[in-house]
Amino acid sequence: MAGVVDLAVESGVVLVVGGTGKTGRRVADRLSARGYEVRVGSRSGAVPFDWHDEGTWAGALEGVSAAYLTYYPDLAFPGAVEAVGAFSRLAAERGVGRLVLLSGRGEEAAEAGEKAVMESGAAWTVVRCAWFNQNFSESFFLEPVLAGELALPVGGAVEPFVDAEDIADVAVAALTEAGHAGEVYELTGPRLLSFADVAGELSAAVGREVRFEAVSQEAYRAVLVEAGLPEDFAELFSVILDGRNASLGDGVRRALGREPRDFADYAREAAASGVWNA
């Protein structure tokens, strides 16, 4: 990070790419509460942004001092590295001083995207995350939880599930405060859980049984296709749940000086919101 001045960001627009997603909307809300001018980067935004339309990029970057970058459906998907790299270089050329990238833990393809941001010329921070707790209440695991069965191609794999609230807190700190440039924060929860453990935690929180069943990758691919989701998710599951992520990270503690939120606390709060009322 030679030559990069790591100062607090006190003015200018903060661009939040994916500002309506699980982490992006939380980041946008926190920034707005702190008095920052936030630009939500989405195809339907007041200033449109589309990863697949480079013609939208310059307008989205106008007046921006810092940007939070997320790539849907995942940074490890084909085309992501090229798009994120080109956008990051353009951002640096246009004077954006700080880029914070959401990345996936244990994903080799995602690490290529990280490298592209690191080489952009802007100050950078990588927020490299385990699986989100909120996948069970705001994403593709919501319907299975409501149905009472998690059928996944994961066997006995364990994962240190991380809370989106923690991710947002770290991202906002990295976007606005000094001391985070050049850091790769590995964000996890405080303990390792199998999907059977998760089913147990969810059962306790909702007061009814949520079962876990291990299924083949082929069977799960068919489920994804039926749900209109990328079938590449089935392959991604098998890659990142092969044991490579069966360890805890210290990113929340290093970035925020506190411990990460536990899955059980998340499950109780989500259950109280009524999201899992069948």
Side-chain angles (χ1 to χ4, degrees):
M1 297 302 295
V4 171
V5 179
D6 185 14
L7 301 174
V9 174
E10 298 178 349
S11 62
V13 178
V14 181
L15 173 66
V16 180
V17 174
T20 59
K22 285 189 289 295
T23 65
R25 63 181 174 80
R26 289 174 166 86
V27 169
D29 287 347
R30 283 163 168 75
L31 290 168
S32 295
R34 292 189 182 195
Y36 286 90
E37 182 180 351
V38 176
R39 179 174 298 151
V40 173
S42 70
R43 284 175 291 184
S44 60
V47 180
F49 173 85
D50 186 345
W51 279 117
H52 304 293
D53 182 1
E54 294 188 27
T56 66
W57 295 2
L61 288 169
E62 186 68 32
V64 168
S65 58
Y68 177 60
L69 306 181
T70 68
Y71 189 93
Y72 182 84
D74 190 89
L75 189 57
F77 273 53
V81 172
E82 294 78 10
V84 169
F87 181 76
S88 298
R89 291 189 295 274
L90 179 63
E93 290 169 5
R94 289 181 166 265
V96 178
R98 185 170 308 191
L99 301 175
V100 176
L101 176 69
L102 178 70
S103 184
R105 194 168 184 245
E107 300 176 18
E108 293 174 1
E111 290 180 15
E114 296 174 7
K115 186 171 184 288
V117 173
M118 293 173 183
E119 294 175 348
S120 68
W124 56 266
T125 305
V126 171
V127 182
R128 188 186 288 163
C129 299
W131 278 44
F132 300 174
N133 293 346
Q134 280 73 12
N135 285 340
F136 297 95
S137 55
E138 300 176 18
S139 192
F140 42 84
F141 293 149
L142 173 57
E143 291 301 323
V145 174
L146 288 170
E149 182 176 81
L150 292 171
L152 295 163
V154 296
V158 294
E159 174 76 9
F161 298 90
V162 66
D163 200 275
E165 303 290 349
D166 287 339
I167 299 169
D169 284 345
V170 172
V172 169
L175 285 165
T176 63
E177 300 171 3
H180 301 284
E183 295 286 351
V184 176
Y185 291 126
E186 293 237 353
L187 305 189
T188 74
R191 58 188 171 121
L192 295 170
L193 296 168
S194 69
F195 280 81
D197 294 332
V198 165
E201 294 284 3
L202 294 173
S203 297
V206 300
R208 57 179 171 79
E209 184 181 17
V210 178
R211 298 185 299 110
F212 166 70
E213 179 184 354
V215 298
S216 70
Q217 192 176 95
E218 291 71 24
Y220 193 64
R221 185 175 285 110
V223 171
L224 291 173
V225 171
E226 184 178 349
L229 292 166
E231 59 182 294
D232 288 346
F233 272 139
E235 180 67 26
L236 185 60
F237 289 176
S238 67
V239 169
I240 65 175
L241 292 170
D242 64 358
R244 70 183 65 190
N245 288 334
S247 62
L248 303 181
D250 64 355
V252 173
R253 190 181 312 112
R254 285 202 297 120
L256 303 176
R258 64 166 174 80
E259 295 303 309
R261 190 184 191 202
D262 189 74
F263 188 91
D265 296 326
Y266 149 76
R268 284 192 293 269
E269 184 176 308
S273 76
V275 69
W276 292 319
N277 290 348

